[in-house]
């Protein structure tokens, strides 16, 4: 147990959760850009185990519920929260917001607001790595809902056909918005689908993050050797679909039952039971994280808003003129 | 929903008008079904199908997987086979993945098969900015549809029109694309079920005027009306025309109005280039160029993707102040 | 052997082949509307066995290579050839052509020029049948290429989830245009894909049309009881992809080898060997078919072309005015 | 292909000009790859990539499964990761199924991510009528693209432009949609590699004239030129403007020409409503309304799906006779 990764994994999960709580507060304070904020509270195990099993140069795309993965891959909470607030210091200058948050220098090839939209991206990224002889794996993270997007199967087939260093990672939180998985799929065994396309598969359905880490690492390592893989992490979305949703479509009893399956308290109990860390150690970790995230909050709130000219930037390359504003267009016609 | 059986509502939301339209149509025609993501249990992402599951059961109000191409495709197949589906796409942005089923199948079925069959269905969806939804959840893509022969296209702004146009769409034998606006659902207006109702292809002159015609549809109509009020105080009399349907398009009302006012502004929340306003502007010039006193002004969203930051998003689309400003200049 | 269906199945296959030969001639005579003519010569077994196993009120969609299936389901060769010639008496008044040929009264819900485009149609048709309590099955026919279209998996999942009377039928002729199946898929076992979505499956990989008929019937009968199915018929595209293609991308030796796997001569040998029909009987059948198809040819060639006003018909319902022609539009503006 | 190393071709097909452009670009930049259905073994449905497999190997010329959404999506991912893909969609009609990856991903990547990254790739495809391909294989869908900020859009008509614009597209840092025409591949023209070449956003005045401006792009340019020849004999001097790229659009050349000729016709093979000609017509009116002697005429395909029957298909799009007829009326 001496070289256990559990503290590291715990810390990652706790950072994710604390971050998401701050996102929620940001909203309550009226400081978030809109309400389309999809929190991964309860779903931290997947980002932590897969995110940690990836290597430094590996890349990834995420779905709309991607804050957690980004945190696990080194996203800076300051710039993340600033982005979610729609501010100038945000990763995307506040133009992308929660659903498009990304840091390309960290290999984050983009969060996507289109369910399934970021999946083929990793196929193309992996084509590049293979062609350029870079030892990198690209991982697509998406929800169980995206298992019903056809583009996933097109992508799986390409990955299998071309033997690409790709992993498809489904964070199955049992719901697509208000629709329970049973009402969205004919057969729940997603691994079978992936297998039929020739992928290595892993199905994680417990709370042991360290074991999930090791198994995920095997899948990712195989992918690096050109055997693409599929990972499904079962979990439960503790709260509503987006910040405004109170989940009236599901039982409170189901919720309270399922919220007991908390990967974070499970990991903390594991550490205590196995004498890896004691309660005080854990409190220290938690406290440091709280301080970190409080600072991020402050950073985001204090970050300035953008100048309106920002609307016109980043549409075309820097060498191209900015698109002409409506105001200029109209005045030119009127002054003709 | 309050009082399903009332015929007149002094004040009803756009959302409830749509719900009521589906409700009334489903009571009349048992072959109408509703299908889409979260339309049943959840009641629709914007609540337009709330409670319909309870009233009509899960055979008729059907939650689908998140499979937009197949949602539209299955609705097409059902429409060809005796049902009259109302399919919902949660965001108009998802036209992207379903344009094949919309434009290559639905729109062309009657034609390709030489008139043997039609696919009478309604595809409901919603677009527009206002919720910081970002580049992929805030677009106004009516131009793609208007550029696709074979489809009816409706974009009502008012509850009464929303009700009657949806009812109408559920009776005609043409596939109809019905685009709502995310910021209209909570707006209110009257609803008179016994009204003749808005027929397809008939614009509504919301406000008579003599100095300038402001032509628009969907949410921008409300901006146009507010601007017209302000302009009135400055002695500019603006005629406000709500197109309501883009196919068929009421060219006559547009042309008659501009021939009278000799000045026109076309408003929309869509991109500028190759847009519905481009079309309307062309029509006005083609037909009224001899009388026009000033060039027609098309005022739309900027020709960039939609930014998330609220301060940017707000100024990305037309503002009432600028509508007033440009109208004044046009009337100068 | 007394109530064998072999003569019937043979006749269907032979009619398909003879029809397709006429299509080819129509082209040579310069009487076809264009060259996008996809012949099913060599692939007759699938249409014959599945087409025959379907009941009268069952419906179907086909891909671009759908003449054979349409013939098997009762399509009138006269009106079919007239359609392929782009003539007024064609099923679609010559406006749809080979790739959109259909007769709705025969349950043909349309041939489709979009690979995979007609697949979700049968899901919707089956939703209708189930809702309207009609005992009908709807079958989507498509090629191996369409196995790589995402919409197929979206459709399979819906069929499985909603327990619809649907069969997905893949006519696997080993090629998608010039691309061999090995270069298009990671794993060739298509049944595994369908199984993973919860479908009954059948894989036919021999020339025995009667046995294939019986097995197909089981799948279709199950579908009628709301257990949707998947049928893959392996075969070989004897000639080019479309009428102009000489298949330079494949070996002549492969072609001549594979053309020996001819379901029609196999059936005729079976009949002779088992004393079902003798050579003279078969010759008679063949001859009758030849006469029938010659007449169709004559019909198509003699069919008049359309008046130009036909361009404007069938865009909207009969109650709507025809779209205004460009000529009228332009002259109106000019005469303003 | 004859003489890959020549710099000047007196007569080369449009197809070979494209092949040569890809060849030369691939020799210069080893990160350029080609991917699409049947681009390798088959050499492309219309032969534009013939022999490139032999020259560059299967790592760089890649046959894909028939998965249009993922073809575009994978190309986008590759473009974000160091490669410069040329992805081919066999028919422009397949935009239908891939518009999400084109319009919601490719076009918006730079913007959504605040300028962090771009996806420099070229999406080649072909459209248009002329082969009885029917409603799903004969469209001209450039309006959908032109209505999507973030994309460059090229539709060359001449071999020299095809070569240089494709070369250019493979050097710039913007995603480019490159739409060819199925009936242009066999047409011929000169190619001068040492020419400055057609830059994006610069129209080409193919023929100087003083009585009327005929503005078009892609195959209709050839119709415009033939019509201009005929008109010349009748003493009408038509200026023929080949836009070559629709984004960026050379507004200046259009406006300058019409300010001179005071009459204009806009030609295209696309649908009529909410089209590229609607946009160009608006631009002309907006900028030249004071000098225009006649309304601008937009002459396009009919606003119906494309019919298969050759006699119908032929008259479905503009004809040279009618171009002549309308131009004469405009000049009246
Ligand atoms: C293509 C597409 N369809 C629908 C939506 C609307 N939507 C956003 S999230 C969501 C649910 C997604 O469920 P899942 O993939 O399981 O992810 P989760 O939200 O559960 O993390 C839906 C339907 C969307 N954004 N994109
Ligand atoms: C969506 C789409 N992509 C590509 C094409 C062009 N195309 C027509 S047929 C064909 C090959 C199809 O192969 P398969 O599905 O195996 O059918 P087959 O032709 O072998 O019968 C292709 C690529 C098309 N028509 N539609
Ligand atoms: Mg989920
Ligand atoms: Mg095939």
């Amino acid at each position: 147990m001496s070289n256990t990764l559990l503290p590291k994994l715990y810390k990652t999960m706790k950072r994710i959760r604390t971050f998401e709580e701050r996102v929620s507060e940001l909203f309550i304070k009226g400081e978030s850009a809109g309400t389309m904020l999809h929190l991964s509270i309860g779903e931290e195990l997947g980002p932590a185990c897969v995110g940690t099993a990836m290597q430094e140069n590996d890349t990834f795309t995420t779905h709309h519920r991607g804050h957690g993965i980004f945190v696990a891959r080194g996203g800076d909470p300051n710039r993340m929260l600033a982005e979610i607030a729609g501010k100038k210091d945000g990763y995307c200058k506040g133009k992308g917001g929660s659903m498009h948050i990304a840091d390309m220098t960290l290999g984050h090839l983009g969060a996507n607001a289109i369910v399934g939209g970021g999946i083929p991206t990793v196929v193309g990224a992996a084509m590049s790595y293979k062609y350029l002889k870079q030892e990198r794996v690209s991982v697509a993270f998406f929800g169980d809902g995206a298992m019903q997007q056809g583009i996933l199967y097109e992508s799986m087939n390409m990955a299998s056909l071309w033997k690409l260093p790709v992993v498809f990672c489904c964070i199955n939180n049992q719901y697509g918005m208000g629709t329970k998985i049973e009402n969205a799929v004919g057969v729940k065994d997603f691994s079978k689908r992936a297998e039929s396309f020739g992928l290595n598969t892993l199905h994680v359905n417990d709370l042991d993050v360290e074991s999930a880490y090791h198994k995920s690492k095997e899948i990712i390592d195989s992918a690096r050797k050109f055997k693409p893989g599929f990972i499904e992490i079962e979990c439960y979305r503790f709260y509503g679909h987006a910040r405004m949703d109170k989940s009236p479509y599901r039982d409170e009893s189901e919720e309270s039952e399922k919220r007991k399956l908390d990967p974070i308290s499970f990991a903390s109990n594991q550490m205590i039971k196995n004498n890896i860390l004691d309660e005080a150690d854990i409190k220290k970790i938690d406290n440091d994280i709280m301080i970190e995230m409080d600072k991020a909050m402050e950073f985001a709130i204090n970050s300035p808003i953008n100048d309106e000219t920002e609307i016109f930037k980043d549409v075309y390359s820097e060498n191209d003129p900015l698109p002409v504003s409506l105001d200029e267009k109209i005045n030119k016609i009127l002054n003709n | 929903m309050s009082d399903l059986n009332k015929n007149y509502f002094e004040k009803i939301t756009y959302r409830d008008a749509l719900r009521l339209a589906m409700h009334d149509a489903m009571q009349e025609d048992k072959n109408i079904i509703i299908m889409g993501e979260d339309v049943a249990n959840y009641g629709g992402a914007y609540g337009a199908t709330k409670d319909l599951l309870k009233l009509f059961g899960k055979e008729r109000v059907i939650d689908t997987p998140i499979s937009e191409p197949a949602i539209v495709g299955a609705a097409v197949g059902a429409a060809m086979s005796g049902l009259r589906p109302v399919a919902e796409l949660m965001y108009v942005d998802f036209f992207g993945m379903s344009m094949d089923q919309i434009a290559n199948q639905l729109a062309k079925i009657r034609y390709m098969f030489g008139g043997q069959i039609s696919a009478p269905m309604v595809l409901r969806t919603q677009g527009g900015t206002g919720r910081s939804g970002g580049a992929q959840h805030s677009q106004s893509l009516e131009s793609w549809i208007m550029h696709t022969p074979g489809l009816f296209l409706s974009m009502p702004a008012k509850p009464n029109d929303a009700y009657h146009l949806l009812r109408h769409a559920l009776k005609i034998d043409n596939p109809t694309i019905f685009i709502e606006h995310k910021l209209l659902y909570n707006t209110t207006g009257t609803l008179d079920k016994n009204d003749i109702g808005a027929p397809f292809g008939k614009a509504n002159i919301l406000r008579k005027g003599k100095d300038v015609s402001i032509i628009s549809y969907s949410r921008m109509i409300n901006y146009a009306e507010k601007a017209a009020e302000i302009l009135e105080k400055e002695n500019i009399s603006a005629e406000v025309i709500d197109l309501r349907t883009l196919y068929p398009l009421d060219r006559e009302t547009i042309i008659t109005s501009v021939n009278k006012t000799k000045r026109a502004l076309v408003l929309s929340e869509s991109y500028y280039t190759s847009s519905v306003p481009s079309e309307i502007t062309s029509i006005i010039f083609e037909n009224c160029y001899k009388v026009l006193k000033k060039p027609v002004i098309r005022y739309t969203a900027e020709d960039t993707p939609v930014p998330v930051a609220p301060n940017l998003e707000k100024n990305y689309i037309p503002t009432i102040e600028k509508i007033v400003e440009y109208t004044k200049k046009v009337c100068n």
Side-chain angles (χ1 to χ4, degrees), chain A residues 45-205:
Chain A
L45 185 145
C49 72
V50 181
T52 308
M54 290 165 67
Q55 291 188 0
E56 196 183 328
N57 282 323
D58 291 347
T59 62
F60 61 105
T61 59
T62 76
H63 54 333
H64 54 285
R65 200 179 302 283
H67 304 162
I69 300 150
F70 194 13
V71 168
R73 291 299 298 165
D76 169 5
N78 291 3
R79 296 186 64 197
M80 287 182 69
L81 268 181
E83 185 59 38
I84 293 165
K87 299 292 188 67
K88 191 169 178 157
D89 296 314
Y91 268 117
C92 314
K93 309 188 214 161
K95 286 155 79 170
S98 163
M99 295 199 291
H100 302 298
I101 201 165
D103 180 350
M104 302 295 157
T105 65
L106 292 174
H108 192 339
L109 298 176
N112 217 300
I114 300 291
V115 167
I119 294 175
T121 315
V122 304
V123 171
M127 289 173 76
S128 289
Y129 307 152
K130 195 167 180 179
Y131 178 79
L132 298 170
K133 305 207 184 330
Q134 300 171 346
E135 291 203 352
R136 304 165 80 178
V137 173
S138 198
V139 184
F141 292 90
F142 49 86
D144 45 291
M147 292 296 304
Q148 280 62 252
Q149 281 289 355
I151 202 165
L152 171 63
Y153 302 95
E154 300 182 1
S155 300
M156 282 186 176
N157 180 58
M158 284 180 177
S160 166
L161 172 67
W162 294 329
K163 303 185 175 48
L164 297 175
V166 160
V167 174
F168 300 97
C169 181
C170 175
I171 309 287
N172 177 356
N173 64 6
Q174 317 296 328
Y175 281 86
M177 250 179 90
T179 302
K180 222 181 164 125
I181 190 162
E182 283 79 6
N183 297 325
V185 306
V187 176
K188 273 203 277 182
D189 185 349
F190 291 154
S191 287
K192 247 184 116 177
R193 299 189 187 178
E195 261 165 40
S196 78
F197 283 88
L199 306 185
N200 275 341
T201 63
L202 165 62
H203 178 199
V204 175
N205 196 11

Side-chain angles (χ1 to χ4, degrees), chain A residues 35 148-149 179 306 327 331, chain B residues 38 67-68 131 326 329:
Chain A
T35 67
Q148 280 62 252
Q149 281 289 355
T179 302
N306 272 300
D327 200 50
N331 280 315
Chain B
D38 285 301
S67 309
E68 285 78 6
R131 291 198 61 219
Y326 300 144
K329 285 192 187 165

Side-chain angles (χ1 to χ4, degrees), chain A residues 35-36 86 94-96 100 112-114 148-149 177-179 184 249 305-306 308 311-312 325-327 330-331, chain B residues 38 42 65-68 90-91 131-133 136-137 272 295 297 300-302 304 308-309 311-312 315 322 326 329:
Chain A
T35 67
M36 295 193 198
K95 286 155 79 170
H100 302 298
N112 217 300
I114 300 291
Q148 280 62 252
Q149 281 289 355
M177 250 179 90
T179 302
Y249 43 81
I305 58 169
N306 272 300
E308 271 168 40
I311 292 174
F312 304 95
S325 73
L326 257 299
D327 200 50
I330 292 174
N331 280 315
Chain B
D38 285 301
Y42 197 99
I66 308 176
S67 309
E68 285 78 6
M90 209 182 274
Y91 286 80
R131 291 198 61 219
S132 282
Q136 299 173 331
H137 273 60
Y272 180 82
I297 295 303
T300 65
E302 300 293 347
T304 77
V308 158
N311 67 314
L312 302 184
N315 289 299
K322 287 279 179 186
Y326 300 144
K329 285 192 187 165

Side-chain angles (χ1 to χ4, degrees), chain A residues 158-290:
Chain A
M158 284 180 177
S160 166
L161 172 67
W162 294 329
K163 303 185 175 48
L164 297 175
V166 160
V167 174
F168 300 97
C169 181
C170 175
I171 309 287
N172 177 356
N173 64 6
Q174 317 296 328
Y175 281 86
M177 250 179 90
T179 302
K180 222 181 164 125
I181 190 162
E182 283 79 6
N183 297 325
V185 306
V187 176
K188 273 203 277 182
D189 185 349
F190 291 154
S191 287
K192 247 184 116 177
R193 299 189 187 178
E195 261 165 40
S196 78
F197 283 88
L199 306 185
N200 275 341
T201 63
L202 165 62
H203 178 199
V204 175
N205 196 11
D206 58 45
L207 296 177
D208 186 342
V209 66
E210 188 159 18
S211 132
Y213 159 80
H214 289 295
K215 291 180 198 153
S216 301
K217 192 156 183 320
E218 277 175 36
I219 296 282
I220 292 169
D221 289 347
S222 284
R224 205 175 307 279
K225 293 180 194 123
F226 307 119
K227 173 80 184 168
F230 171 76
I231 299 174
E232 176 191 1
I233 313 271
E234 291 212 46
C235 53
Y236 190 76
R237 195 189 74 203
F238 280 13
Y239 299 104
H241 166 68
R243 190 50 190 75
M244 297 289 275
D245 173 29
K246 303 256 181 294
S247 312
Y249 43 81
R250 64 188 192 188
D251 282 352
E252 277 186 40
S253 65
E254 173 190 305
E255 288 197 343
S256 59
E257 210 42 56
K258 289 287 200 169
R259 283 192 199 133
K260 290 183 193 150
L261 302 176
D262 182 349
I264 295 184
S265 42
F266 187 89
S268 123
N269 289 338
Q270 256 184 319
M271 290 192 293
I272 293 167
K273 203 174 66 194
N274 297 321
N275 293 317
I276 300 166
L277 291 182
D278 65 20
E279 281 196 45
D281 297 333
I282 295 174
K283 205 159 225 162
K284 171 77 170 61
I285 293 175
D286 292 359
N287 208 47
D288 288 351
I289 292 173
M290 230 163 66

Side-chain angles (χ1 to χ4, degrees), chain B residues 121-195:
Chain B
M121 61 170 273
V122 176
L123 183 65
R124 286 185 48 246
T125 187
Q126 61 76 32
T129 64
R131 291 198 61 219
S132 282
Q136 299 173 331
H137 273 60
S138 313
Q139 295 173 92
S140 297
L141 297 176
E142 56 272 18
S143 178
W144 292 0
I145 301 295
M146 205 180 180
H147 191 62
T148 305
L151 300 171
F152 270 38
L153 173 56
S154 169
M155 294 188 75
K158 304 290 181 184
N160 198 60
D161 293 334
Y163 178 88
H164 287 288
L165 283 169
L166 186 48
R167 291 279 273 148
H168 192 61
L170 285 167
K171 281 174 190 153
I172 58 178
D173 203 22
N174 291 304
T176 302
I177 312 296
F178 202 96
I179 308 180
E180 302 154 18
H181 190 295
K182 50 176 73 56
L183 287 202
L184 282 177
Y185 291 111
N186 287 331
T187 61
T188 56
T190 59
L191 165 59
D192 182 355
K193 289 195 192 174
N194 294 326
D195 193 2

